[in-house]
Amino acid sequence: MPCSIDVKNLSKSFGNICAVDDVSFSAYPSQIIALLGPNGAGKSTLMNMIAGFLSQNNGKIEIFGKNNEQYPIETKREIGFLPEGAPLYADMSVESFLRYLAELKSLAKDEVKRVMSLANIEHVAKQKIETLSKGYKRRVGFAVSILGNPPILLLDEPTDGLDPNQKEHMLGLIKDMSCEKTIIISTHLLDEAQTIANRIMIMNKGKIKVDGDLESITKQTRTNSLENAFIKLTR
């Protein structure tokens, strides 16, 4: 099966700080990869580079076989990205903001209705974004990431700020979408990773320390739980 994302020897530094250090991995359709790690591990930097928002110092990123530096527009079209603190136009209504972005992407008019329905934000469609709670703003950001139905989703803390019901809906939606997409989510919630992901990568100090399913991770780390594996690899 051809890979969706191929990362080889990827590195990124900010001054003297090495945020991502020689990272390599491949991701495939129908995978939900949970990217775990403490604050400052390099998770957001890695996702921003794959999405094309940050340039790498070294290494290579290929999206469906195309180099993201040589084909920046083509590779970005394949990716839906929900960054931490997703930028939103606060003085626009939810619907007008999504319609504006859909027009920029030359998408069909019914695409906005589709993503609002999936994100469960139809009832706040006419509200200004600045009036929304943190959870609803996060769901608007998620709706932006799925505009155009991209085959790759990069979701940085997708359930941040959501109440338990919203979180359950979001995780169920992500799981349903994985049938036809490659999805990488970063999260601090170990139970969330175990519930939704079929592959887990634990990062620390810019490096991927372990990569596999839950059973293989506990075997590799000689622990009996994801929590103990996480503690062992990140302390």
Side-chain angles (χ1 to χ4, degrees):
M1 180 188 295
C3 63
S4 316
I5 304 168
D6 194 24
V7 172
K8 294 180 180 176
N9 306 115
L10 196 66
S11 296
K12 179 68 176 181
S13 295
F14 300 96
N16 295 325
I17 299 171
C18 185
V20 174
D21 186 5
D22 197 30
V23 164
S24 298
F25 72 93
S26 297
Y28 297 85
S30 301
Q31 284 189 332
I32 302 179
I33 301 173
L35 190 58
L36 303 177
N39 292 332
K43 304 185 301 297
S44 293
T45 301
L46 176 59
M47 295 181 87
N48 272 279
M49 284 192 288
I50 296 170
F53 278 62
L54 276 178
S55 61
Q56 60 260 35
N57 295 133
N58 296 294
K60 182 170 70 172
I61 301 168
E62 290 185 348
I63 305 298
F64 293 110
K66 290 187 175 182
N67 186 290
N68 76 329
E69 291 185 314
Q70 295 175 347
Y71 301 95
I73 295 174
E74 292 92 333
T75 53
K76 285 185 175 108
R77 282 185 183 137
E78 306 289 355
I79 298 170
F81 184 34
L82 174 63
E84 185 180 9
L88 306 172
Y89 288 2
D91 60 343
M92 296 180 75
S93 73
V94 171
E95 185 174 13
S96 60
F97 176 60
L98 291 171
R99 289 199 182 283
Y100 168 67
L101 294 179
E103 287 174 10
L104 288 178
K105 292 173 175 276
S106 301
L107 300 174
K109 291 183 178 180
D110 60 355
E111 178 64 4
V112 170
K113 289 184 179 180
R114 185 187 76 86
V115 300
M116 285 199 300
S117 176
L118 285 171
N120 197 19
I121 53 174
E122 293 167 300
H123 53 294
V124 296
K126 304 301 182 185
Q127 281 186 231
K128 281 192 174 185
I129 291 172
E130 64 187 359
T131 69
L132 300 178
S133 67
K134 180 179 179 181
Y136 273 104
K137 287 177 181 175
R138 202 68 182 140
R139 286 157 71 178
V140 173
F142 177 75
V144 171
S145 75
I146 60 174
L147 273 170
N149 200 23
I152 296 171
L153 291 179
L154 306 176
L155 309 174
D156 198 352
E157 301 283 351
T159 62
D160 183 38
L162 304 188
D163 66 34
N165 289 329
Q166 292 172 335
K167 186 179 295 186
E168 183 180 10
H169 172 261
M170 178 70 75
L171 294 178
L173 184 58
I174 292 170
K175 203 158 191 174
D176 289 344
M177 287 183 166
S178 70
C179 296
E180 56 183 30
K181 298 183 186 299
T182 302
I183 302 175
I184 301 178
I185 68 167
S186 73
T187 179
H188 288 103
L189 305 175
L190 302 186
D191 59 336
E192 186 172 289
Q194 291 182 86
T195 298
I196 194 172
N198 48 33
R199 179 177 169 190
I200 296 168
M201 296 194 300
I202 298 178
M203 285 190 75
N204 192 31
K205 298 179 181 177
K207 290 183 176 290
I208 293 178
K209 296 295 186 178
V210 71
D211 179 0
D213 61 20
L214 179 59
E215 183 179 356
S216 70
I217 285 174
T218 53
K219 283 183 179 178
Q220 289 176 63
T221 56
R222 298 180 181 180
T223 56
N224 59 6
S225 69
L226 181 60
E227 180 179 4
N228 288 335
F230 182 90
I231 292 169
K232 184 174 183 178
L233 293 169
T234 61
R235 64 186 173 191

